[in-house]
Amino acid sequence: GLRLVQAAINAGERDREKLALIFRAHLADKLPGARIDYAELVHPETLARAGESLSGPTLMAVAVFVGKVRLIDNMLLEV
């Protein structure tokens, strides 16, 4: 899912909400029983929520429950 978001950025997508939706849709397709705790695009140093349109390196941080297990991951996205 994180790699798909980077691919969308590489293809020119910059809208924060659309990028988050790409991750959510991928997860729903691949792991229908998973529950997203959070999937946020944030500034890599301050962790403040990214603006509506990404304009520089952005961290995508996610936490997902698969059953009782909470998985966390993040990826620095090159914009």
Side-chain angles (χ1 to χ4, degrees), residues 2 20 23-24 27 35-42 47 59-65 70-74:
L2 295 170
F23 177 84
R24 292 173 183 276
L27 190 68
R35 182 173 49 92
I36 296 175
D37 188 11
Y38 61 82
E40 294 290 335
L41 292 142
V42 299
L47 301 182
L59 183 73
M60 182 156 197
V62 299
V64 177
F65 283 96
R70 184 173 182 249
L71 305 171
I72 58 172
D73 202 356
N74 65 74

Side-chain angles (χ1 to χ4, degrees), residues 1-77:
L2 295 170
R3 287 190 207 120
L4 283 177
V5 172
Q6 181 64 68
I9 289 170
N10 293 347
E13 184 61 66
R14 297 292 183 268
D15 183 274
R16 181 190 70 225
E17 293 302 320
K18 288 181 183 177
L19 292 165
L21 184 59
I22 288 169
F23 177 84
R24 292 173 183 276
H26 176 73
L27 190 68
D29 181 51
K30 298 296 180 187
L31 290 171
R35 182 173 49 92
I36 296 175
D37 188 11
Y38 61 82
E40 294 290 335
L41 292 142
V42 299
H43 185 279
E45 293 177 10
T46 67
L47 301 182
R49 190 173 195 191
E52 289 182 30
S53 180
L54 304 187
S55 62
T58 302
L59 183 73
M60 182 156 197
V62 299
V64 177
F65 283 96
V66 179
K68 293 182 179 182
V69 177
R70 184 173 182 249
L71 305 171
I72 58 172
D73 202 356
N74 65 74
M75 181 175 180
L76 184 61
L77 304 169

